[in-house]
Amino acid sequence: MSTDATLANITDAEQGSSLWKDAWHRLRKNKMAVGGLFVLMLMCIAALLTPWLAPYSYEEQNLILGAAPPSAQHWLGTDTLGRDLLTRLLYGGRISLAVGFIATAVALLIGVLYGTVAGYFGGRIDAVMMRLVDILYALPFMIFIILLMVIFGRNILLLFLAIGAVEWLTMARIVRGQVQTLRQQEFVEAAVSLGLSQWTIISRHLIPNTLGPVIVYTTLTIPSVMLFEAFLSFLGLGIQPPQSSWGLLISYGVETMEEYPWLLIFPGLALSITLFALNFLGDGLRDALDPRTSKD
Amino acid sequence: MGRFILQRLLQAIPVLLVVITATFFLVRAAPGGPFSAEKAVPPEVLKALEERYQLNQPVLNQYFSYLGDLAHGDLGPSFRFPGRSVNEMIFAGLPTTAELGLYALLISMLLGTTAGVVAALKPNTAQDYIPMSTAMIGICLPSFLLGPLLMLVFGIWLEWVPVSGWGNIPGDKILPALTLASGYTAYVARLSRGGMLEVMSQDYIRTARAKGLPEWVVVIKHGLRGGLIPVVAFAGPAFAGLLSGSFVVETIFQIPGLGRFYVQAAFNRDYTMIMGTTVFFAALIILFNLLSDILAVWLNPKLRQQYSSHSG
């Protein structure tokens, strides 16, 4: 959502320059990407309106009904406690999407600032900062986060921070590379000679110009973050009941998949459709914003 | 080349030290001692235990003695299974994990490059879209979802293959290997498609075609050689990733490998085991990254130039 909003703002603000208009044209021609954007917007609207959309209340049980296959009353069936699966999927989706967006925002903030500072100041500062990134890259982070969750308990805030703290590395590298080339261009020289402060140069002139690759990478980070949350919840190390997420629903679904396969299939579909949408949108944005790089 | 290898080896030491230090102090910072789970341990027993595991000494002393042991390759005793050392447990699980990882690596390399090359030969046609969309499925379907789905369809509904286990019933290795390979296969497919697309537009391919060589010779003899460099470079990190990432698959299919031990250790709060495995995985990842870096530079003289010009 946030990236779309930024993109829209920029398209409005920079009518003069054709980069964003061109990109938008290219993106619109990519049917998969537009489809992804559409699905994603639907998911976000559903997540925002969940309390009004959900047909049942979140904790409403019906032990007599138990696990029932999809029917007119319960479109996606019910779980072993007779809770409406559609309702639980909607609420779980809120958490999954929130983790995706918030953790990505954390990564975005750290990565952009870090990369800009390293790229702008260059020299020894850059060398030290990027060496640190190299070191962090070599760490087995999956394992570290599992360790963190085990040691400090399953706290949703910690989950956001931990995942965000891992995902900023690539962002920092991308931004640093961009800033390094940008700062040698005339408009930065002009800004320096006008006597603008370094902070103004960084925030007004450098960061806005790195937006293209940053948007692309952000769109591709969200699915990997969501996947990670789902995976941690699947292991029982992420979101804890009574809260729910798609990963947690999948892990419950696996336990009873032999008798009640819909409890695995629907949460799985919800997660993978969202991941598909995000990946197609990200690929489309990459092609649109940077036509030179093809899919790797 | 020798200098490059030495340089990368020297760089690996601080990385490893950071991993060890971070893990050590994280684990020590954990609320509650490793024995607090057992109810009502008599104080004298607790004291004896702490003495045995050197927990009564200052943290720094513990740290340095842990480092010292590590230098000898000793990861210490397990907290949960008093009779066994962490080394024993790691080497009990490693062969299984390595076997699983190797199958997955083979599957992903063979299947992935085939799909990628086929797609790159006719870009933007059905021959390109079908394998690449399938690859997208591989990327988007996480293994903890794909695994159970495969189990459900092929194990329970169709009854073609056993559902779980490892090496007990013939065919029980198929599903875990496929599940573990899926994401990497997709990634290899995209890598090789990209590499082939770039190579096939080069002048020397045109020359080869102009000589009148049949298309398959051009593709296999001239195209693959350059086009698969990115794939070869990816093999090292992929294998490291397959080893350290196999715990999902091992947990789902109940395979007694290293990954499953790690997850169990995490739940049992077997701190020495967690530390040992983390350090072991980190060392593996660093080693395989190093190997693939060396391989990449060795394969591609252009890269060598790049490395020497901006020093890393």
Side-chain angles (χ1 to χ4, degrees), chain A residues 226-250:
Chain A
M226 288 180 65
L227 204 60
F228 201 48
E229 177 277 319
F231 166 64
L232 281 176
S233 301
F234 177 81
L235 280 181
L237 290 168
I239 305 296
Q240 291 296 297
Q243 277 178 324
S244 189
S245 78
W246 288 338
L248 202 59
L249 289 174
I250 290 173

Side-chain angles (χ1 to χ4, degrees), chain A residues 1-15 17-28 33-34 37 41 108 208 210-216 218-219 281-282 284-286 288-290:
Chain A
M1 272 302 267
S2 65
T3 55
D4 303 330
T6 341
L7 191 58
N9 282 341
I10 289 154
T11 334
D12 289 340
E14 305 199 358
Q15 282 296 336
S17 82
S18 60
L19 170 73
W20 297 101
K21 255 193 196 163
D22 277 1
W24 177 238
H25 271 290
R26 277 195 292 268
L27 186 68
R28 260 203 329 218
V34 173
L37 186 64
M41 278 160 70
L108 191 68
T210 61
L211 271 180
V214 167
I215 289 173
V216 172
T218 305
T219 328
L281 179 63
L285 279 172
R286 173 163 45 192
L289 286 169
D290 191 0

Side-chain angles (χ1 to χ4, degrees), chain B residues 72-136:
Chain B
H72 298 107
D74 178 9
L75 294 165
S78 160
F79 272 151
R80 278 291 142 194
F81 304 94
R84 308 182 67 183
S85 76
V86 175
N87 287 39
E88 265 172 49
M89 290 172 62
I90 286 181
F91 285 103
L94 188 61
T96 308
T97 300
E99 192 189 345
L100 176 62
L102 204 64
Y103 293 151
L105 187 71
L106 284 177
I107 294 174
S108 59
M109 288 291 154
L110 287 177
L111 218 65
T113 43
T114 314
V117 170
V118 165
L121 290 183
K122 292 221 173 110
N124 301 320
T125 61
Q127 193 182 326
D128 180 16
Y129 291 141
I130 293 168
M132 285 302 117
S133 320
T134 319
M136 198 58 137

Side-chain angles (χ1 to χ4, degrees), chain A residues 149-170:
Chain A
M149 301 314 279
V150 168
I151 292 176
F152 295 108
R154 291 116 210 207
N155 178 329
I156 190 167
L157 211 67
L158 182 72
L159 191 68
F160 290 149
L161 284 178
I163 299 179
V166 172
E167 296 282 344
W168 66 270
L169 295 171
T170 314

